[in-house]
């Protein structure tokens, strides 16, 4: 298991369950941005946009700093990494199971091959 | 970009924004389970548990089949893969940017090294 907490992971997945917030994460992946530059592509009132930023900031996906009257946002890749790690762990569990299944099917197949000549002899 | 839709991704992230639903995904990664076996470890009324299963099923993370009176659930790893792919894309964007930053800093450093001897001469 990773070193993230279940509550933190819940908040990160909740934050990502919104297309506007995912678009903000995508934009900040290319570098820090001011709030006004970030908000520009969205047809949304600024207070609604600020609420999305606040959800992202509370769960640690972004941080923001104010210099004078300009607030700048920055991606915090660690929270994204925790979510990715959780998903990778689920895939690892799933793939380990699929491998066991494949080995089991292969084993049945091999047993069948060994049994086949005997059946063939019985038929003659 | 992946071939998942934004709406599907929103639903998958929303489904994962709950510790019970993540635990169900974790359990089903080890293989299909009946609803009653899945529900057993949770201190939760069955109707509440069924609601969680329904959220997981609607977004395609699990599927279920009923045989007689027994309903069995199975993980559908594709939806998990879509979420993982989206996160990996964000990381790739972020890492490409970090690489560009590192090259830029290195370039500044090299320029400084070339400028240094001149400065040293000027000081003499």
């Amino acid at each position: 298991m990773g070193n993230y907490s279940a509550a933190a992971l819940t908040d990160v997945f909740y934050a990502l369950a919104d297309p506007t917030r995912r678009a903000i994460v995508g934009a900040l992946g290319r570098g820090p941005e001011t709030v006004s530059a970030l908000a520009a592509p969205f047809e949304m009132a600024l207070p609604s946009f600020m609420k999305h930023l606040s959800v992202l900031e509370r769960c640690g996906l972004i941080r923001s700093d104010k210099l004078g009257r300009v607030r700048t946002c920055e991606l915090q890749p660690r929270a994204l990494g925790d979510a990715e790690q959780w998903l990778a762990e689920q895939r690892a569990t799933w793939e380990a199971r699929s491998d066991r299944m494949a080995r089991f099917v292969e084993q049945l197949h091999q047993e069948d091959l060994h049994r086949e000549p005997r059946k063939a002899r019985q038929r003659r």
Side-chain angles (χ1 to χ4, degrees), chain A:
Chain A
M1 287 299 267
N3 50 5
Y4 41 75
S5 80
L9 212 47
T10 293
D11 293 347
V12 168
F13 281 130
Y14 174 79
L16 296 177
D18 179 278
T20 301
R21 292 196 291 265
R22 287 200 303 279
I24 296 171
V25 167
L28 291 178
R30 295 185 286 275
E33 279 282 12
T34 62
V35 168
S36 48
L38 267 182
F42 296 96
E43 290 188 357
M44 190 179 289
L46 195 62
S48 309
F49 190 78
M50 296 301 286
K51 270 184 203 158
H52 283 308
L53 288 184
S54 152
V55 172
L56 288 168
E57 195 162 7
R58 272 204 306 273
C59 75
L61 276 167
I62 70 169
R63 51 170 282 180
S64 75
D65 277 307
K66 202 167 185 178
L67 191 69
R69 292 177 66 183
V70 178
R71 184 172 286 281
T72 304
C73 298
E74 194 178 0
L75 189 68
Q76 299 289 92
R78 196 184 150 174
L80 277 181
D82 288 350
E84 201 181 359
Q85 192 185 332
W86 185 85
L87 287 164
E89 282 166 10
Q90 307 317 306
R91 187 163 42 81
T93 307
W94 170 265
E95 285 174 354
R97 187 212 161 225
S98 302
D99 289 351
R100 279 197 308 276
M101 288 285 286
R103 278 198 300 274
F104 179 64
V105 169
E106 176 61 18
Q107 193 182 329
L108 289 182
H109 182 65
Q110 289 296 329
E111 284 175 14
D112 254 17
L113 283 179
H114 286 112
R115 211 175 290 135
E116 205 53 45
R118 195 148 36 106
K119 269 194 209 158
R121 275 197 300 274
Q122 285 170 345
R123 251 181 250 133
R124 265 182 241 145

